[in-house]
């Protein structure tokens, strides 16, 4: 099983390293053919405007849409969250409108370009997550199908999930936080072989023949 990490711009190498640290193979995605055979995809932090241009320049939009539609996990951090949002403040066109949320880019303003905070993400257990925020977006609306995974103390939403799509406003990969990546790897394995894990046995007969 391999997880793709979009590598056209931004902080992709930290995701590669985080997956390596938990024994998960990755492939850096710059061209459509790099998506062949991946079981999940990370959209890293960086500059979402630059990323959206490069995604279109290299013909990555349609194959990423197909991967998402197949149910493979898609995990966006920071700029990646912006790319996954249905609505972007200022009326920018969405890129992959897979999350029924509105995001505001650079929501913490000039005074507070980057900061770190600890908060609970109940889905990941009782130990709080240490989040690194760098010119981060904020979710200012989440639709009814969106699970809010984390909020700051002031109530602002910083992590969400809608089915196979997860997004964080912060960078877990810059804080030695591996639980999101473990979750993505588990979801990817489950996507490859729905008979495993969670008790959803769509293809019980495939268990004996699985290769991973
Ligand atoms: N400010 C960037 C944007 O709006 C995101 C920053 C990040 O990914 N760390 O695209």
């Amino acid at each position: 099983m391999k997880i793709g990490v979009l590598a056209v711009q931004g902080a992709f190498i930290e995701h590669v390293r985080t997956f390596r640290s938990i024994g998960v193979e990755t492939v850096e995605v710059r061209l459509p053919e790099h998506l062949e055979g991946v079981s999940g995809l990370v959209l890293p932090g960086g500059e979402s405007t630059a990323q959206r241009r490069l995604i279109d320049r290299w013909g990555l939009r349609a194959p990423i849409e197909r991967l998402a539609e197949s149910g493979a996990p898609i995990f966006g951090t920071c700029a990646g969250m912006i790319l996954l949002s249905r609505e972007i403040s200022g009326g920018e066109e969405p890129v992959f409108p897979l999350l029924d949320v509105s995001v505001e880019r650079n929501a913490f303003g000039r005074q507070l370009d980057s900061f770190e905070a600890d908060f609970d993400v109940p889905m990941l257990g009782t130990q709080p997550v240490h989040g690194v925020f760098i010119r981060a977006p904020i979710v200012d609306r989440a639709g009814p199908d969106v699970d809010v995974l984390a909020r700051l103390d002031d109530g602002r939403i910083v992590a969400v999930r809608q089915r196979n799509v997860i997004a964080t406003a912060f960078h877990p990969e810059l804080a030695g936080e591996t639980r999101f990546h473990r979750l993505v790897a588990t979801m990817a394995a489950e996507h490859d072989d729905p008979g495993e894990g969670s008790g959803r046995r769509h293809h019980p007969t495939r268990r004996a023949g699985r290769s991973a």
Side-chain angles (χ1 to χ4, degrees), residues 77-105:
T77 58
C78 203
M81 172 186 254
I82 296 164
L83 297 182
L84 291 168
S85 298
R86 191 170 288 180
E87 252 180 275
I88 305 168
S89 59
E92 278 180 57
E93 279 297 302
V95 182
F96 303 113
L98 297 164
L99 291 171
D100 182 19
V101 300
S102 305
V103 287
E104 186 187 339
R105 290 178 68 184

Side-chain angles (χ1 to χ4, degrees), residues 44-49 51 77-80 82 105-106 133-137 169 171:
E47 226 319 299
S48 57
T49 306
Q51 291 181 358
T77 58
C78 203
I82 296 164
R105 290 178 68 184
N106 302 319
F133 294 77
I134 304 171
R135 295 176 58 74
H171 294 264

Side-chain angles (χ1 to χ4, degrees), residues 104-162:
E104 186 187 339
R105 290 178 68 184
N106 302 319
F108 297 93
R110 289 184 171 277
Q111 302 292 311
L112 201 60
D113 254 4
S114 38
F115 64 99
E116 304 186 14
D118 292 305
F119 42 86
D120 289 321
V121 183
M123 194 174 88
L124 298 179
T126 51
Q127 209 195 325
V129 164
H130 184 72
V132 178
F133 294 77
I134 304 171
R135 295 176 58 74
I138 200 82
V139 173
D140 43 30
R141 180 194 65 83
D145 296 332
V146 176
D147 295 326
V148 172
L149 302 182
R151 294 175 186 268
L152 295 176
D153 286 347
D154 63 11
R156 287 188 284 181
I157 299 170
V158 291
V160 291
R161 175 176 180 173
Q162 187 167 353

